[in-house]
Amino acid sequence: MFVDIHSHKFAVDDIGTVIYNVPIAKADTIFCSDMKGFFSVGFHPWYLDVYSAELMDMMKMWTDDSRLIAIGECGLDKNSKFDIERQIEIFEKQINLSESKHKPLIIHCVGCYNELFDLRKRRKPQQLWIIHGFRGKPQLAEQALKAGCSLSFGEHFNEDSVRITPIDNLYIETDESDMPIGDIYEKIAMVKKCAVEDLCAGRELLKKHSL
Ligand SMILES: [Zn+2]
């Protein structure tokens, strides 16, 4: 079973193995329905204009729904039109939610790694922080792992970064890609020189958080 921890494409066939990233504007319809599946929802650093205290309260409510597996994608991006202070402010609210409701964070981070690592140092979170779509070099991967983050790899990745990521901290995703998740698992297993079944962090995450 290939668990896809981050996908923007909902497909009925994948129910039970995919964490579908719900656009926050659609989340209410999903959580008010009996739609099956696993979901993540959060405020993306590009689209903070949709942020409101009311929506944050609704997110709190949705976290009580067992279909909501993770908070995200959320995080920091140097290309966002919102200044970094505002991004940190809203990201921290999602860290609070992740900690109080015991849900992992799926993190989008572009060019703001120092800020991200500082936040981890300051907040000392208990919950899992997964940096999704990681394409960084091994030096950055090492820093992230040392800071206590886990990494999620998609279709495109730096092979050396995959090599140094321990299997327990290594997640796999399709994100926006059309490449089947099984093919991405195979690519990564080849780099890790392991069996695809050994890549079980995603499976463990779902087992732990979908009860
Ligand atoms: Zn994404």
Side-chain angles (χ1 to χ4, degrees):
M1 188 181 73
F2 302 119
V3 169
D4 181 352
I5 68 122
H6 182 77
S7 169
H8 292 268
K9 295 179 177 165
F10 184 80
V12 175
D13 290 350
D14 299 333
I15 284 173
T17 58
V18 177
I19 302 176
Y20 171 56
N21 195 88
V22 182
I24 199 147
K26 272 199 202 159
D28 200 35
T29 15
I30 289 181
F31 293 113
C32 286
S33 74
D34 55 5
M35 187 171 163
K36 287 193 171 64
F38 297 127
F39 305 99
S40 60
V41 64
F43 293 98
H44 191 288
W46 292 352
Y47 309 116
L48 298 181
D49 28 359
V50 301
Y51 178 83
S52 68
E54 290 74 29
L55 205 47
M56 192 69 211
D57 283 341
M58 288 182 78
M59 228 169 98
K60 266 180 211 153
M61 228 170 56
W62 299 328
T63 51
D64 291 328
D65 192 307
S66 60
R67 293 170 292 176
L68 195 147
I69 303 296
I71 311 284
E73 57 185 286
C74 55
L76 308 170
D77 189 324
K78 71 169 193 310
N79 300 319
S80 165
K81 64 177 179 188
F82 297 93
D83 59 43
I84 188 71
E85 289 76 23
R86 180 69 174 154
Q87 292 186 47
I88 290 176
E89 184 193 338
I90 296 176
F91 184 39
E92 282 214 72
K93 290 181 197 293
Q94 298 177 90
I95 297 171
N96 297 343
L97 195 56
S98 151
E99 290 296 303
S100 65
K101 301 283 189 166
H102 306 112
K103 305 270 182 185
L105 275 185
I106 294 179
I107 297 171
H108 168 107
C109 185
V110 175
C112 295
Y113 280 95
N114 289 336
E115 289 84 350
L116 183 72
F117 300 152
D118 283 348
L119 267 171
R120 246 199 99 87
K121 243 188 240 157
R122 179 155 65 74
R123 299 297 307 261
K124 302 184 180 58
Q126 299 298 305
Q127 296 306 308
L128 190 60
W129 284 22
I130 303 174
I131 302 173
H132 104 88
F134 190 82
R135 296 190 193 188
K137 294 190 174 132
Q139 292 86 335
L140 184 61
E142 203 183 319
Q143 267 184 299
L145 292 162
K146 246 195 203 145
C149 298
S150 288
L151 303 175
S152 176
F153 299 96
E155 181 182 357
H156 304 285
F157 53 81
N158 179 300
E159 293 194 358
D160 289 326
S161 296
V162 163
R163 260 176 220 117
I164 65 159
T165 304
I167 268 175
D168 292 339
N169 301 99
L170 191 164
Y171 295 84
I172 301 175
E173 64 181 53
T174 53
D175 200 7
E176 316 259 11
S177 165
D178 286 320
M179 183 179 260
I181 187 73
D183 293 3
I184 304 176
Y185 267 77
E186 270 165 32
K187 268 174 75 166
I188 289 176
M190 212 131 76
V191 172
K192 291 294 283 178
K193 296 190 169 60
C194 70
V196 281
E197 300 79 47
D198 296 337
L199 300 167
C200 59
R203 215 158 58 218
E204 298 296 326
L205 181 149
L206 267 193
K207 219 198 284 172
K208 183 171 169 205
H209 290 279
S210 64
L211 298 172

